[in-house]
């Protein structure tokens, strides 16, 4: 009797697991080709500079594409250097942004207000993808002013990191906007293998968050920490943020999409940020 019971458990467990294990349709293309915008070839770079120390859906793949390339960077900076750091960036970064021979554009630059303290976040867009990124890096190495800028900036930092990102096809393209606004950068560490599902759900969820023009941009990582998603939002103030987020819960369907995306997340973080004077996103 004991042997019969023991032998039956694996089959029973296997049968039960088959009811709950997530089934993913086989794909023959990279996530970046399915989720990014195809009409552009922009690469985004997210630079964060920290001064102090910095029903499941399986069938919607065709509605997703990826493609603008971005870089985001995070630097950990000494607290006493924050003002000097901001002044230095405001003197040098616009020169790179406005230089016609550099195929890159400063999308936004901020200081963190709530979240990690004494932090700067820079978001760059490279028109033309990786070749544009290589071109800019090569030219900057020959730029004496930028070389001196990096050396002086380095004395203010404790650590730094960056990511190369692509832009979700279904999100708004980040374009300059007038202020004053506060910005929220919500960052999600997804479970490996769930990026397509995330994109499927958010392709629908973003429709619930367009009424107040708060959606700025949505990105996912290509190089750096992988399976990272960043959503960038703009609000007039913290109370407006609260009101807009609460209003979404009264829209039929929003709660279901949240219910299905939460299990895809391993970690999440929210930063409230204030733009610098030179930021195109004010």
């Amino acid at each position: 009797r004991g042997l019969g019971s023991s032998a039956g458990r694996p089959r029973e467990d296997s049968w039960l697991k088959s009811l709950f294990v997530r089934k993913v349709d086989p794909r023959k293309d990279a996530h970046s080709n399915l989720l990014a915008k195809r009409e552009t070839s922009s690469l985004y770079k997210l630079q964060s500079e920290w001064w102090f120390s910095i029903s499941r859906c399986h069938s919607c793949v065709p509605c997703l594409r990826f493609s603008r390339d971005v870089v985001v960077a995070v630097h950990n900076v000494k607290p006493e250097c924050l003002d000097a750091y901001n002044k230095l960036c405001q003197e040098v970064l616009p020169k790179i942004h406005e230089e016609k021979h550099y195929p890159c554009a400063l999308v936004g630059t901020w200081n963190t207000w709530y979240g990690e303290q004494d932090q700067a976040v820079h978001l760059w867009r490279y028109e033309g993808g990786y070749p544009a990124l290589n071109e800019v890096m090569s030219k900057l190495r020959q730029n004496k002013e930028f070389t001196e800028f990096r050396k002086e900036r380095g004395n203010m930092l404790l650590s730094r990191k960056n990511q190369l990102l692509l832009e979700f096809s279904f999100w708004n393209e980040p374009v300059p906007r007038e202020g004053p606004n506060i910005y929220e950068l919500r960052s999600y560490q997804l479970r490996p293998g769930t990026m397509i599902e995330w994109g499927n759900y958010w392709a629908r969820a973003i429709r619930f968050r367009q009424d107040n023009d708060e959606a700025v941009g949505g990105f996912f990582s290509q190089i750096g920490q992988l399976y990272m998603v960043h959503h960038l939002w703009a609000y007039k103030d913290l109370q407006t943020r609260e009101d807009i987020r609460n209003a979404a819960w009264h829209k039929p369907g929003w709660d279901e999409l949240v219910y299905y995306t939460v299990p895809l997340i391993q970690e999440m973080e929210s930063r409230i940020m204030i733009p610098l004077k030179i930021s195109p996103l004010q």
Side-chain angles (χ1 to χ4, degrees):
R1 185 179 299 175
L3 289 173
S5 175
S6 175
R9 283 197 194 102
R11 288 193 296 272
E12 181 180 355
D13 290 346
S14 177
W15 179 79
L16 287 172
K17 287 179 181 178
S18 69
L19 297 179
F20 300 102
V21 171
R22 177 172 55 89
K23 295 181 175 63
V24 179
D25 295 334
R27 297 183 299 272
K28 296 183 179 180
D29 207 347
H31 291 171
S32 58
N33 292 333
L34 294 170
L35 295 173
K37 292 180 179 175
R38 294 292 182 88
E39 62 273 15
T40 63
S41 58
S42 299
L43 181 71
Y44 284 79
K45 176 179 177 182
L46 182 63
Q47 256 184 317
S48 307
E49 306 184 334
W50 311 40
W51 292 282
F52 75 97
S53 55
I54 196 181
S55 71
R56 293 188 180 264
C57 172
H58 310 295
S59 60
C60 302
V61 170
C63 72
L64 305 175
R65 306 176 308 280
F66 288 93
S67 110
R68 252 178 213 278
D69 299 340
V70 189
V71 179
V72 66
V74 180
H75 296 180
N76 294 320
V77 185
K78 303 170 185 176
E80 65 273 18
C81 296
L82 179 56
D83 290 340
Y85 175 93
N86 284 340
K87 182 179 179 181
L88 183 63
C89 288
Q90 291 181 133
E91 290 174 354
V92 177
L93 296 187
K95 297 178 182 179
I96 302 172
H97 172 71
E98 297 166 2
E99 174 56 62
K100 295 181 180 179
H101 299 294
Y102 293 153
C104 67
L106 181 64
V107 177
T109 178
W110 304 267
N111 286 166
T112 299
W113 183 23
Y114 287 105
E116 291 284 355
Q117 295 295 285
D118 299 314
Q119 181 184 67
V121 177
H122 306 298
L123 183 63
W124 291 87
R125 177 171 59 236
Y126 292 81
E127 301 288 352
Y130 294 115
L133 176 65
N134 292 336
E135 179 183 348
V136 171
M137 295 299 102
S138 177
K139 288 181 177 179
L140 288 179
R141 282 194 291 268
Q142 307 301 320
N143 186 320
K144 293 183 179 180
E145 183 180 10
F146 184 76
T147 301
E148 290 300 316
F149 160 71
R150 290 195 64 181
K151 185 183 300 183
E152 186 175 355
R153 184 190 66 180
N155 294 328
M156 305 176 186
L157 303 180
L158 294 175
S159 66
R160 59 191 179 124
K161 69 176 182 178
N162 59 24
Q163 287 181 326
L164 291 179
L165 312 170
L166 292 178
E167 181 183 15
F168 281 111
S169 63
F170 47 83
W171 266 81
N172 300 352
E173 179 182 345
V175 295
R177 66 171 64 198
E178 297 181 355
N181 295 293
I182 62 171
Y183 289 81
E184 181 176 18
L185 182 65
R186 295 180 70 88
S187 302
Y188 303 89
Q189 177 66 61
L190 302 186
R191 299 183 183 279
T194 62
M195 185 67 73
I196 295 295
E197 285 184 275
W198 179 272
N200 286 340
Y201 288 124
W202 265 97
R204 289 179 285 158
I206 193 64
R207 299 197 299 267
F208 293 93
R209 300 295 307 277
Q210 300 283 7
D211 294 348
N212 299 280
D213 194 32
E214 72 267 26
V216 178
F219 315 94
F220 61 96
S221 61
Q222 283 286 281
I223 296 178
Q225 190 170 356
L226 299 179
Y227 283 96
M228 283 290 296
V229 169
H230 301 283
H231 291 175
L232 184 61
W233 309 90
Y235 305 100
K236 290 183 178 179
D237 49 42
L238 287 174
Q239 185 58 55
T240 302
R241 169 187 177 273
E242 182 76 3
D243 294 341
I244 290 175
R245 288 175 55 82
N246 286 339
W249 289 97
H250 297 286
K251 299 177 181 180
W254 172 256
D255 56 344
E256 179 183 358
L257 290 168
V258 172
Y259 176 82
Y260 285 119
T261 54
V262 166
L264 309 180
I265 302 170
Q266 286 186 328
E267 295 180 8
M268 58 188 298
E269 181 179 8
S270 171
R271 296 179 179 91
I272 301 297
M273 309 183 301
I274 305 296
L276 298 186
K277 294 179 179 179
I278 62 170
S279 178
L281 289 170
Q282 285 294 313

